[in-house]
Amino acid sequence: MSRWNISEIFFLGNEGRRRTITLLPGVNIITGASGTGKSTLIKAIDYCLGSSQCELPAHVRRHSFAVGVKWVSGESQMITGRVIPPVGQRTSTRMYVTSGRNLRLPNTLEKFDGLTNVQAGKAFIERAFGIGDPIDYTNDGQAQRGRATIRHATAYMFVTKDVIYNETALLHGLDQADEAKGIIDTMPYFLRVLNEKSVIDERRLRELRRQYEREERKQQKQTGTDDDFHQMATRVLRDALRCGLIEALPVANSEQDLRESLRLARRSNAGLVVNPNENELPALYTQRKELLSNIEAVRRKSRGAKTALLEMSDFEGTVHRQYEKLDIASHIRQVGHVCPVCESPSDRGRDIADTLQNTMAIIRSESTAVEGVRPRLVEHEQELQNQLTELNAQLRGVDERISTWIKQNEENMRLETLGRYRAHLLGKISILLGMRSSERQATVDLNVLRDEIEALDARVDREARQVLLDRAHRKISAYASKAIAELPTVTPCVDVEMEFYSRPPDIAVIEKGQSVVLRLSDLGSDQNYLAIHIALSFALQRYFKEAKSPVPGFLVFDQISRPYYPAHGEDETLLSSKSEDEDVLAMRKHIDYLFKETDAQQDLQVLLIEHAFFADDPRYVQATRERWNRASGDALIPLDWPERAES
């Protein structure tokens, strides 16, 4: 199946007048002076593809009331048209779309078929082009954002004069904040990395993840609310117990038991209300004093046990050192009744040896005693630590009760009377009973959401999508690198390779034999920017054809000669000359590449809008469809057309 091209662009005026610009397959050139309406053709095509506002100039608005474009793909044809609003009106909601074979161009508005609104008209065009991203509608019936539309496809078709030498925006529309996000988000779809089903799965996955995060935050907040409820209910019930509203605190601390006790307090008789027991506070202080005394006693014992363990360790070391010093006795156990030196009769050596043996036995017994006492002392010290922990817990409980008692008394003094305090306490109870429980608020099961997210995540297969996206980047980069090698450039964009990335859309330029990566802003020449944009545009179109993307096979370039001839007035005829300067030679290289690449891709159509006219180039002359200048009165909208009625 061939790709969609444009066969005619037409404007309708009063008295049945129609201005038709005919385009053929391959390269089509419109030349002329400034102000003759050349660039208006891009705005006309864009308007007929459902743009939100009409940007046609005032002269066109005053002399024509409708514009249309006829698209062809093999034997299939489609005519899209819009009513041109008068000067001062932003846009028109009336659109005409029809498809079929052998369609005739209308001469009047009444003969325009397929009247509809802009939204339905764009949907019709998308179905014809094959932009099959299914439309999901929200509850209010509006189309969901983020889907691929024909408006995103124009980024790959229009290379306007604002893009030709732009050092930041690679594609048409990327310099507009309200359009850039949609172009970036839908680029994987047009690169055929995503299909219609994966688009739906991806969108559903994003929605589920947002819903999961919302529900998780809500339930975490509810859990915190439950903890707050437990603490507040316990304090209120403790106050209610002291005031006699209830006879005892609930045994269990579950939410249900707490609520039941609160209801019981609210139903209690007013006569049961009594002042807090005045004897309770002194008793609590007495208990606190005893606990502090016990804690101090246990701490002293613990310090004594630790000191004993430390001294025992030191004593054991001393005993061991003494034992080593006296171990010489093991070498003199066989001493007899004679002197070991002169062999004279003597009992002194044997007495000394016996004394040493007795001393070592005593030392061994002391060491054994130490080893026997140590485990019991360690166990005793651990018991003391446990007692300290328990006593500290009891002390905290007594302190809490004292604090609550003091707080209650202060509150009684603030409310002046016990009756007002009781009313205040009952109000707290009513507020607590009015708090919703987590069981009633938890309407979404996070486990179910998590399972659905995991299933969709496995189906989306991000790793496989990334592989396909990297493959698309490599192919487009290879096409663009080959293209820029044939286009005129200047340093540092000579003998380079281009690397394309889709998110965010960017180009990296790498000089061969160098390891430095250059960005667009580093290239520093309008001639380089022009070559980059032309190479990328044709590389994308070549990839779209290979991937069977729904982007039409149509490219329009608006004045690629601007970097070479920035100050044109009337159209300039360029003839061959031996003295042609570098700018003319560079421009000819661009023209040669346009013809060569368009012939290579066959069903790719190029519309070139230019000032310059190469009279010595037969291809250029033959491809020129219109040549306008102010002297002859030739223009997009003839000067003899009558003005329309502004209604």
Side-chain angles (χ1 to χ4, degrees):
M1 178 179 177
S2 60
R3 304 172 69 191
W4 286 94
N5 293 166
I6 294 177
S7 62
E8 285 99 7
I9 305 170
F10 60 94
F11 293 82
L12 301 183
N14 289 331
E15 302 173 359
R17 298 172 186 255
R18 186 182 72 199
R19 178 71 162 103
T20 304
I21 309 300
T22 301
L23 304 182
L24 299 177
V27 177
N28 299 266
I29 303 173
I30 306 292
T31 67
S34 298
T36 55
K38 302 186 305 299
S39 299
T40 302
L41 292 174
I42 299 178
K43 299 176 180 178
I45 298 171
D46 191 42
Y47 188 51
C48 290
L49 289 177
S51 64
S52 59
Q53 60 182 354
C54 178
E55 297 182 348
L56 297 175
H59 177 75
V60 176
R61 294 194 184 198
R62 290 193 175 112
H63 294 82
S64 56
F65 54 81
V67 59
V69 177
K70 183 177 181 180
W71 295 84
V72 295
S73 175
E75 296 183 356
S76 300
Q77 298 179 354
M78 177 176 61
I79 295 178
T80 64
R82 296 282 295 274
V83 170
I84 299 176
V87 176
Q89 183 176 320
R90 184 170 176 267
T91 188
S92 171
T93 59
R94 296 173 63 186
M95 190 169 184
Y96 298 86
V97 184
T98 183
S99 63
R101 296 185 180 183
N102 302 320
L103 298 179
R104 290 188 174 186
L105 302 184
N107 290 324
T108 63
L109 198 61
E110 291 75 14
K111 293 184 179 180
F112 242 130
D113 292 332
L115 176 62
T116 184
N117 58 33
V118 176
Q119 191 66 32
K122 289 193 294 184
F124 188 101
I125 297 172
E126 289 160 9
R127 288 193 298 271
F129 285 168
I131 302 177
D133 181 6
I135 304 177
D136 287 351
Y137 288 92
T138 58
N139 294 332
D140 58 359
Q142 297 295 322
Q144 190 181 56
R145 292 183 178 182
R147 58 175 294 271
T149 69
I150 183 59
R151 302 304 309 153
H152 302 133
T154 59
Y156 312 104
M157 299 161 55
F158 300 154
V159 187
T160 61
K161 55 188 176 184
D162 295 331
V163 176
I164 285 288
Y165 51 89
N166 198 313
E167 61 183 65
T168 56
L170 280 178
L171 303 172
H172 172 70
L174 286 180
D175 54 347
Q176 303 294 326
D178 56 340
E179 298 180 11
K181 186 178 186 305
I183 295 172
I184 295 172
D185 290 343
T186 58
M187 189 173 291
Y189 173 79
F190 287 109
L191 294 178
R192 308 316 280 167
V193 173
L194 298 177
N195 55 29
E196 291 79 2
K197 189 174 186 306
S198 59
V199 167
I200 296 177
D201 290 342
E202 183 90 6
R203 187 179 304 143
R204 176 61 177 163
L205 183 59
R206 289 196 299 267
E207 292 174 353
L208 285 176
R209 282 177 172 161
R210 287 195 294 266
Q211 182 182 2
Y212 183 87
E213 291 174 358
R214 288 195 303 269
E215 292 298 331
E216 188 177 36
R217 287 194 300 268
K218 184 187 300 182
Q219 295 192 19
Q220 287 176 351
K221 182 179 179 181
Q222 183 60 43
T223 301
T225 303
D226 292 342
D227 293 339
D228 294 340
F229 172 82
H230 187 278
Q231 295 177 4
M232 290 187 293
T234 302
R235 292 194 187 103
V236 169
L237 287 174
R238 195 171 292 154
D239 292 344
L241 176 64
R242 292 193 180 94
C243 292
L245 293 178
I246 57 175
E247 296 180 356
L249 292 174
V251 177
N253 286 329
S254 66
E255 182 178 342
Q256 183 178 358
D257 293 332
L258 291 174
R259 287 182 178 274
E260 185 60 33
S261 297
L262 290 171
R263 294 189 189 97
L264 180 62
R266 190 170 60 178
R267 293 194 302 266
S268 64
N269 193 320
L272 296 177
V273 177
V274 295
N275 288 320
N277 188 356
E278 295 293 339
N279 296 325
E280 183 179 2
L281 188 60
L284 288 174
Y285 275 119
T286 300
Q287 184 180 357
R288 186 176 190 275
K289 184 177 180 180
E290 292 176 356
L291 286 172
L292 289 174
S293 178
N294 293 336
I295 289 173
E296 182 59 29
V298 173
R299 283 178 177 171
R300 285 197 302 270
K301 292 180 181 179
S302 178
R303 287 195 295 269
K306 290 180 179 177
T307 302
L309 284 172
L310 182 62
E311 291 177 351
M312 183 180 294
S313 178
D314 294 340
F315 177 75
E316 186 178 11
T318 302
V319 168
H320 182 70
R321 287 193 297 272
Q322 291 177 349
Y323 184 83
E324 289 179 345
K325 291 178 181 179
L326 297 174
D327 194 40
I328 189 173
S330 62
H331 301 285
I332 57 176
R333 290 176 181 172
Q334 304 300 325
V335 177
H337 297 279
V338 296
C339 176
V341 177
C342 63
E343 295 184 355
S344 298
S346 176
D347 293 331
R348 180 125 182 114
R350 186 175 58 185
D351 294 340
I352 293 173
D354 291 341
T355 301
L356 289 175
Q357 291 293 338
N358 293 333
T359 301
M360 292 185 64
I362 293 171
I363 293 174
R364 282 195 298 269
S365 65
E366 290 177 350
S367 178
T368 303
V370 169
E371 292 298 328
V373 172
R374 182 196 299 275
R376 293 196 297 273
L377 194 57
V378 170
E379 183 179 357
H380 177 64
E381 201 276 334
Q382 183 62 43
E383 290 176 355
L384 292 175
Q385 291 297 325
N386 294 337
Q387 290 180 22
L388 275 177
T389 302
E390 183 178 356
L391 289 172
N392 283 323
Q394 294 178 12
L395 181 62
R396 286 194 297 271
V398 171
D399 287 341
E400 174 66 20
R401 293 171 63 186
I402 292 174
S403 175
T404 303
W405 197 98
I406 294 174
K407 182 179 178 182
Q408 177 183 346
N409 276 343
E410 291 176 351
E411 194 169 3
N412 281 346
M413 294 175 61
R414 188 168 56 252
L415 296 174
E416 296 181 357
T417 65
L418 184 60
R420 292 183 62 182
Y421 175 74
R422 178 183 177 279
H424 184 67
L425 188 59
L426 289 175
K428 287 184 177 180
I429 293 174
S430 297
I431 292 175
L432 287 172
L433 289 174
M435 293 179 64
R436 298 178 61 188
S437 63
S438 59
E439 289 77 11
R440 288 191 293 272
Q441 288 192 10
T443 57
V444 177
D445 189 346
L446 292 181
N447 292 326
V448 175
L449 278 179
R450 192 182 301 111
D451 291 342
E452 189 172 355
I453 288 173
E454 290 177 356
L456 273 178
D457 202 14
R459 194 187 310 165
V460 168
D461 195 355
R462 295 178 180 274
E463 293 182 359
R465 186 183 67 179
Q466 188 61 45
V467 170
L468 293 175
L469 192 60
D470 292 341
R471 174 175 172 268
H473 292 167
R474 288 195 302 271
K475 287 195 171 187
I476 295 171
S477 300
Y479 296 152
S481 298
K482 182 179 179 182
I484 201 170
E486 303 180 32
L487 295 172
T489 55
V490 296
T491 305
C493 204
V494 178
D495 195 16
V496 297
E497 293 181 355
M498 291 173 56
E499 291 290 334
F500 170 73
Y501 305 96
S502 62
R503 194 173 184 92
D506 197 7
I507 281 288
V509 177
I510 304 173
E511 298 177 274
K512 291 184 178 179
Q514 301 291 333
S515 59
V516 179
V517 177
L518 303 177
R519 301 296 179 184
L520 277 179
S521 57
D522 301 324
L523 303 182
S525 170
D526 288 348
Q527 187 173 177
N528 289 338
Y529 298 141
L530 171 64
I532 290 288
H533 285 98
I534 290 180
L536 179 61
S537 298
F538 278 102
L540 285 170
Q541 286 289 339
R542 181 178 286 273
Y543 178 82
F544 290 151
K545 175 181 174 60
E546 177 184 324
K548 296 181 173 56
S549 176
V551 177
F554 176 77
L555 270 176
V556 54
F557 295 98
D558 190 4
Q559 300 177 26
I560 63 176
S561 62
R562 286 177 64 87
Y564 305 107
Y565 313 108
H568 272 301
E570 296 291 332
D571 63 315
E572 182 173 334
T573 300
L574 301 177
L575 300 174
S576 61
S577 171
K578 295 181 180 179
S579 61
E580 281 187 347
D581 59 16
E582 293 181 359
D583 288 342
V584 175
L585 293 175
M587 183 64 185
R588 289 185 181 276
K589 286 186 178 181
H590 282 294
I591 299 301
D592 291 339
Y593 181 78
L594 259 61
F595 279 101
K596 175 185 175 182
E597 187 64 20
T598 306
D599 291 341
Q601 296 197 33
Q602 295 181 352
D603 53 3
L604 175 63
Q605 185 184 43
V606 172
L607 173 60
L608 175 62
I609 297 171
E610 263 304 332
H611 280 294
F613 181 74
F614 290 88
D616 62 335
D617 189 336
R619 299 171 307 169
Y620 199 95
V621 174
Q622 186 178 1
T624 301
R625 310 298 172 218
E626 300 286 342
R627 189 178 180 192
W628 301 325
N629 60 75
R630 286 192 296 270
S632 64
D634 292 336
L636 176 63
I637 302 299
L639 300 180
D640 59 351
W641 274 28
E643 289 194 15
R644 56 181 281 188
E646 295 294 336
S647 62

